[in-house]
Amino acid sequence: MTRAGAVVDVGGTKVVSASSASPENSRRWATDVEHGADALADQISDALRFWEIRAGERAVVASAGYLDVGLGRVRRASNLPFIDYPLRDRLRELLGCRVELVGDATAATVAELTHRSRRAHENGLYVTISTGIGMGVVRERRLDWLAGNGDRELGHVRVDQAPDAEICGCGRRGCLEAYGSGSSIVRRYAELSRIDAVPLTSPDELTVSDVVRACDAGDVRARTVIGDALGYLTTAIANASRESEASVLVLGGGVMVHAGLFEPLRQRLLVETGSRISIERSLFGEHSVLHGAAAICERDSEVVRALGEDWVGDR
């Protein structure tokens, strides 16, 4: 297959790019969040240029955050240094090729919910739990562009109403992301360990998997952190599944893929939803975003149909 171009997944901890013809063959870099929006745009450009993208080809950029895809702007992103930033146009200038901007959850949603194994489901919900938390909804096999965006971002649903609730990266207190994201799980466990004067072997290298193992070993601090994360995730995702009337729920993102929390969360959700929904693991693992972006880039017919008339494409 002749490729259409290159794709990139821009997240709070890593930038991952690939040729659109083979998204499973990717390269990754730590996200440059320290040097401002232009520096990160340069890094994204370099990640796409790695695949020798040429004039006339297409680049699809799947970014975290609240996006205006029509204008190609990242309005805000709690884990990225973008504030109303014209990312699409900046990359067009740097690369000299066509650039399309989509949400990372949107890309992953169309990859997961248009897959042939799930085409029996007209309504589906995809949830990603990683550095951030996002979701996408398909209704009658069409992407719901409003679900999970703006004020309806799953990661920024307020789940803790206490005045001293955890502070989220967006600046508000009590958001789901402040308890259920991978970065928050690690941060909260490290903070509780510091308060209790419990030394950590390598605090800078701590992972969610480490916290899960500590929880399984009976560590009280880890049990508190994991218990909070699972509890808040269960409530928020169950509510989202009811609102979307989904018959299938797909759980993806790094926390679900690597940390061993898929089955505990799945069991809680089955109880919360009354087992009325099929709860499945991501087909593409941590590569869901790249696979979705590649399908958009290659103009896969099922994905184009799912994106529907509201998709702006090359406009």
Side-chain angles (χ1 to χ4, degrees), residues 133-200:
I133 298 173
M135 75 174 192
V137 173
V138 168
R139 302 179 194 272
E140 298 180 353
R141 300 192 176 93
R142 296 289 189 274
L143 185 74
D144 182 342
W145 285 93
L146 295 178
N149 214 346
D151 293 335
R152 300 167 70 183
E153 287 180 275
L154 183 62
H156 300 288
V157 170
R158 192 174 181 191
V159 295
D160 186 350
Q161 306 296 326
D164 61 346
E166 294 285 342
I167 299 176
C168 180
C170 71
R172 300 191 303 175
R173 287 188 181 272
C175 293
L176 177 61
E177 216 167 86
Y179 294 92
S181 69
S183 53
S184 293
I185 289 172
V186 168
R187 174 186 53 77
R188 293 191 70 218
Y189 178 67
E191 287 179 354
L192 289 176
S193 298
R194 177 181 53 78
I195 291 170
D196 290 347
V198 177
L200 298 174

Side-chain angles (χ1 to χ4, degrees), residues 34-56:
E34 302 295 330
H35 299 99
D38 285 343
L40 179 52
D42 289 344
Q43 183 184 35
I44 296 167
S45 173
D46 290 342
L48 290 165
R49 197 177 285 117
F50 177 86
W51 301 99
E52 299 181 351
I53 189 167
R54 298 179 291 273

Side-chain angles (χ1 to χ4, degrees), residues 9 11-14 64 79 104-106 108-109 112 125-136 153-156 159 175-186 207-209 212 225-226 228-238 240 249-269 279-282 285-289:
D9 173 9
T13 57
K14 62 185 182 298
N79 298 304
D104 55 353
T106 295
T109 297
E112 295 286 348
L125 170 66
Y126 172 80
V127 174
T128 178
I129 307 167
S130 189
T131 305
I133 298 173
M135 75 174 192
E153 287 180 275
L154 183 62
H156 300 288
V159 295
C175 293
L176 177 61
E177 216 167 86
Y179 294 92
S181 69
S183 53
S184 293
I185 289 172
V186 168
T207 67
V208 179
S209 296
V212 172
V225 171
I226 296 299
D228 286 347
L230 289 174
Y232 288 132
L233 285 167
T234 298
T235 300
I237 295 172
L249 163 62
V250 179
L251 299 174
V255 171
M256 291 294 98
V257 173
H258 298 299
L261 289 180
F262 171 80
E263 193 57 33
L265 181 57
R266 177 178 175 274
Q267 291 300 325
R268 288 184 178 226
L269 284 166
I279 302 174
E280 302 178 8
R281 194 186 301 270
S282 164
E286 63 180 335
H287 300 296
S288 295
V289 174

Side-chain angles (χ1 to χ4, degrees), residues 18-42:
S19 163
S20 61
S22 55
E24 66 284 347
N25 177 28
S26 61
R27 289 290 302 268
R28 69 176 57 199
W29 299 262
T31 308
D32 182 359
V33 295
E34 302 295 330
H35 299 99
D38 285 343
L40 179 52
D42 289 344

Side-chain angles (χ1 to χ4, degrees), residues 10 14 16 22 33 98 133 169 171 196-197 225 252 274 278 285 291 301 311:
V10 184
K14 62 185 182 298
V16 189
S22 55
V33 295
R98 292 176 290 172
I133 298 173
D196 290 347
V225 171
S278 175
H291 275 270
S301 60
W311 178 45

